[in-house]
Amino acid sequence: MAQFNWYQRILFSVMLCVAAAAVVFVSSGDILAAEGMAQEENILDRPLEEIVGQLAPQNQLTLFPCSDCHNDLPPNPKKRELGEPHNELPGIFKHDAKNRWCLDCHDMRNRDKLRLLNGALVDFKEYYRLCEQCHGRIYREWKVGVHNKITGHWKGEKQYWHCAKCHNPHDPVFKPQKPAPPPRKPTEIYIKTKK
Amino acid sequence: MSENKNTEHRAQKTDITRRKFLAGLAACASALSLPLNADASMLEEYFRQHFKRLDKDELNTILKNLEKEFSQKYEKAVTVKATPAMEDVLFGYTLDVSRCIGCRKCVYACIKENNQSRNPQIHWIKDLEFKRDEKWFHFKDSEPYYDPPEVPQKGRFYLPVQCQQCKNPPCVKVCPVKATWQEPDGIVVVDYNWCIGCRYCMAACPYEARRFNWGKPDIPKEELNPNMHYLGNRPRPKGVVEKCTWCIQRTREGRYPACIEICPTGARKFGNLLDPESDVRQVLDNFRVFRLKEDLGTNPKFFYFFSLGTHIKAK
């Protein structure tokens, strides 16, 4: 067995410590790298279509394409009462109505498109990009299915619901409903129906 | 090891002889108590083994007999399955209290899906209404019979309660005959043929989630759900206990429970707790959740949370 003197021993243990530290450092580097990977794979960054799998059918627009009429109409950005066919809309419009008007969301020149705050145009079927601008947190929760309704299969095909199925963009408050009848009280749980 | 085997063997042996003895005794007794026109299926029902000890053939015959019985009684084609738990699945449920509006649609979807008795009335889901400014969490401070023209009402919130599918279920512990147990996927089930109706489980359940058939259940023929599970929504006899099974007949086939499908707000979420991508894990991984009466150590797999803060609403 080889004999070591004191400084060889110290040198040896220092080397051991350095080696151990290096191992720890490298492996923690690995962990960080792995975390980076995990972050890259963040569910929120994936394309919407992939996450929400399949969106349930969208609302059927009754007036689309808008250009059928609007190609021949001079655009009028003035906030006002509207005649046919939109005579009801200004009345129900309650979405920050004090500060907004139709053409904050609908494009003035190309009525078949929606308009983001930065001026970019998006299709009606991507209307949710509109909502994302102001309701970012809820939009994220919608994307992962929390602020959402998912039907179909927990294992298998799912359908995610559109914001516009639950919130009318012009009057977005979730509409109150009549509740189904309350349960019978224990004292009347059994109702004799015959004789 | 061999010790073990020996005792097991011995236990089995004594068990068999005891069972034979009991069967003999029961046969004598039944000669007196069974109606004279008792047929084979009635005898079978009388001597039926515990569900977990049935072999495949026995189970299949039982299911076939039930299908025949219900198809005749309700005048439509009925299937009764006993689909077992999937592997690597532990079911969980989350409910967003801040988005529930208390409309009770879930209550009635559940009744239909699970063939609950209409009269006497049995509801597996109870929707509790609480006042916002009062202390809550005590069921006794809640109003289950609320009936305003519209929900949600200002200053109120709603807390639907159904079986919490505890991981440590007191109801299972107290059952003197092992008629209720926890399945591998976490669903607590009842074998209605084994239940003796003592209602200990109802007393033990801190969530008031179990219901007893005080009278003969009554299900309208045209509303009967013909897709049944032996441990779930098959029609129950009088005198047994029943409760929510997270729609075992649907969820064991990959579908969502009926309450999830009907909820207009999307407040309800169901899925596999072991799958990091499941709907319930999205909630558990991103929100602070709570469970009812957590201090009792029942460890429910039903989680509540608030996705929307308490804040001043528009309007």
Side-chain angles (χ1 to χ4, degrees):
Chain A
M1 242 234 204
Q3 287 289 315
F4 296 105
N5 59 28
W6 63 273
Y7 65 84
Q8 275 173 323
R9 281 186 201 185
I10 288 180
L11 194 67
F12 190 60
S13 21
V14 166
M15 276 163 66
L16 257 178
C17 287
V18 168
V23 167
V24 168
F25 184 74
V26 168
S27 57
S28 67
D30 273 346
I31 290 167
L32 289 181
E35 262 175 15
M37 288 273 290
Q39 255 158 26
E40 250 171 61
E41 275 185 288
N42 189 330
I43 188 160
L44 286 170
D45 295 336
R46 279 200 250 148
L48 185 79
E49 290 66 35
E50 207 181 294
I51 295 158
V52 297
Q54 199 188 335
L55 280 164
Q58 219 153 331
N59 292 333
Q60 207 60 46
L61 297 183
T62 45
L63 287 173
F64 204 80
C66 323
S67 48
D68 280 357
C69 296
H70 279 277
N71 277 350
D72 309 326
L73 281 171
N76 180 355
K78 207 173 151 265
K79 204 166 176 170
R80 62 190 196 282
E81 288 299 311
L82 293 176
E84 288 284 344
H86 312 306
N87 46 346
E88 280 177 357
L89 268 175
I92 65 155
F93 183 64
K94 283 191 209 77
H95 196 172
D96 197 16
K98 189 159 55 87
N99 301 311
R100 276 195 298 173
W101 185 238
C102 319
L103 300 180
D104 290 332
C105 296
H106 295 283
D107 190 54
M108 182 146 91
R109 274 163 219 94
N110 184 354
R111 217 44 74 90
D112 290 341
K113 299 268 185 190
L114 295 167
R115 190 171 151 277
L116 301 186
L117 294 174
N118 64 5
L121 301 187
V122 297
D123 280 342
F124 268 81
K125 72 175 199 302
E126 280 189 278
Y127 74 91
Y128 43 77
R129 291 180 55 197
L130 216 58
C131 321
E132 179 186 9
Q133 306 172 101
C134 305
H135 303 294
R137 186 174 63 88
I138 287 183
Y139 174 80
R140 287 194 299 278
E141 292 174 11
W142 176 73
K143 244 173 128 181
V144 299
V146 176
H147 189 111
N148 207 326
K149 170 168 172 162
I150 316 173
T151 49
H153 297 77
W154 65 267
K155 189 190 172 97
E157 208 170 285
K158 299 178 186 205
Q159 291 211 310
Y160 289 70
W161 279 38
H162 280 285
C163 317
K165 277 259 186 237
C166 297
H167 304 293
N168 178 344
H170 307 122
D171 177 20
V173 177
F174 193 86
K175 297 291 166 292
Q177 310 186 352
K178 175 154 184 43
R184 285 181 207 144
K185 300 201 166 135
T187 45
E188 55 200 46
I189 200 85
Y190 190 78
I191 304 283
K192 283 214 176 73
T193 44
K194 275 172 243 147
K195 277 149 252 166
Chain B
M1 182 65 197
S2 63
E3 244 291 280
N4 240 342
K5 237 186 197 157
N6 261 339
T7 45
E8 216 173 74
H9 188 65
R10 217 178 307 136
Q12 235 171 26
K13 239 176 153 178
T14 48
D15 199 33
I16 286 168
T17 45
R18 188 175 64 226
R19 212 190 293 158
K20 270 191 185 152
F21 171 72
L22 282 175
L25 201 68
C28 298
S30 63
L32 299 170
S33 64
L34 273 178
L36 285 172
N37 58 353
D39 62 10
S41 74
M42 267 176 111
L43 278 173
E44 185 281 321
E45 201 177 319
Y46 207 79
F47 293 113
R48 184 175 306 173
Q49 257 307 349
H50 188 274
F51 178 81
K52 288 209 238 181
R53 274 184 285 182
L54 292 172
D55 68 32
K56 238 191 187 144
D57 293 336
E58 286 170 322
L59 183 59
N60 278 338
T61 344
I62 290 168
L63 297 179
K64 283 274 142 343
N65 285 342
L66 283 176
E67 282 176 356
K68 218 168 78 193
E69 183 193 328
F70 295 142
S71 300
Q72 259 165 19
K73 185 166 173 203
Y74 294 97
E75 293 164 9
K76 59 165 98 168
V78 167
T79 53
V80 186
K81 294 188 189 166
T83 319
M86 291 182 202
E87 260 173 53
D88 302 321
V89 168
L90 185 66
F91 287 132
Y93 206 112
T94 65
L95 198 152
D96 185 348
V97 187
S98 63
R99 287 205 302 135
C100 172
I101 58 169
C103 66
R104 290 208 192 92
K105 289 208 164 59
C106 49
V107 176
Y108 287 86
C110 174
I111 290 174
K112 268 199 162 170
E113 170 67 33
N114 290 296
N115 295 324
Q116 272 137 260
S117 172
R118 314 298 203 271
N119 188 21
Q121 185 184 60
I122 288 190
H123 286 186
W124 286 358
I125 305 177
K126 190 159 31 173
D127 211 341
L128 306 178
E129 185 196 63
F130 290 89
K131 287 208 185 98
R132 274 185 199 242
D133 55 353
E134 274 180 6
K135 73 165 187 227
W136 60 293
F137 265 80
H138 289 288
F139 288 10
K140 67 171 169 49
D141 297 334
S142 72
E143 176 54 63
Y145 306 110
Y146 65 89
D147 194 20
E150 271 187 347
V151 283
Q153 286 280 302
K154 236 183 146 145
R156 305 288 154 97
F157 70 92
Y158 304 87
L159 189 85
V161 180
Q162 62 209 71
C163 175
Q164 307 280 304
Q165 312 290 359
C166 307
K167 222 172 163 191
N168 183 18
C171 53
V172 167
K173 250 184 251 171
V174 299
C175 179
V177 294
K178 290 193 164 56
T180 182
W181 65 91
Q182 191 171 187
E183 289 273 288
D185 53 9
I187 303 181
V188 174
V189 293
V190 181
D191 182 350
Y192 313 120
N193 279 76
W194 214 250
C195 174
I196 56 171
C198 69
R199 309 194 297 286
Y200 283 12
C201 55
M202 292 175 71
C205 175
Y207 307 102
E208 300 169 18
R210 288 174 168 257
R211 305 282 178 270
F212 184 66
N213 284 282
W214 290 99
K216 199 160 171 271
D218 154 54
I219 310 155
K221 277 179 190 156
E222 60 286 358
E223 283 181 27
L224 182 91
N225 173 9
N227 302 319
M228 299 176 186
H229 194 286
Y230 184 88
L231 300 171
N233 62 341
R234 66 171 162 126
R236 279 73 71 183
K238 178 178 166 179
V240 303
V241 170
E242 59 180 80
K243 65 167 200 66
C244 159
T245 63
W246 283 346
C247 285
I248 195 166
Q249 67 279 4
R250 299 170 65 94
T251 48
R252 288 244 169 121
E253 305 195 329
R255 297 161 73 205
Y256 283 118
C259 45
I260 298 264
E261 292 275 346
I262 198 83
C263 178
T265 67
R268 292 169 168 272
K269 295 281 166 328
F270 175 85
N272 182 3
L273 290 170
L274 307 180
D275 171 9
E277 303 244 314
S278 69
D279 310 351
V280 281
R281 282 288 293 277
Q282 290 306 329
V283 173
L284 295 180
D285 294 354
N286 294 305
F287 292 83
R288 276 164 284 178
V289 299
F290 65 93
R291 294 177 285 182
L292 299 181
K293 308 192 184 186
E294 212 151 0
D295 46 334
L296 298 179
T298 48
N299 213 343
K301 294 190 291 298
F302 200 112
F303 303 85
Y304 294 87
F305 71 112
F306 294 81
S307 80
L308 305 174
T310 44
H311 60 279
I312 299 166
K313 296 232 164 186
K315 255 201 318 175

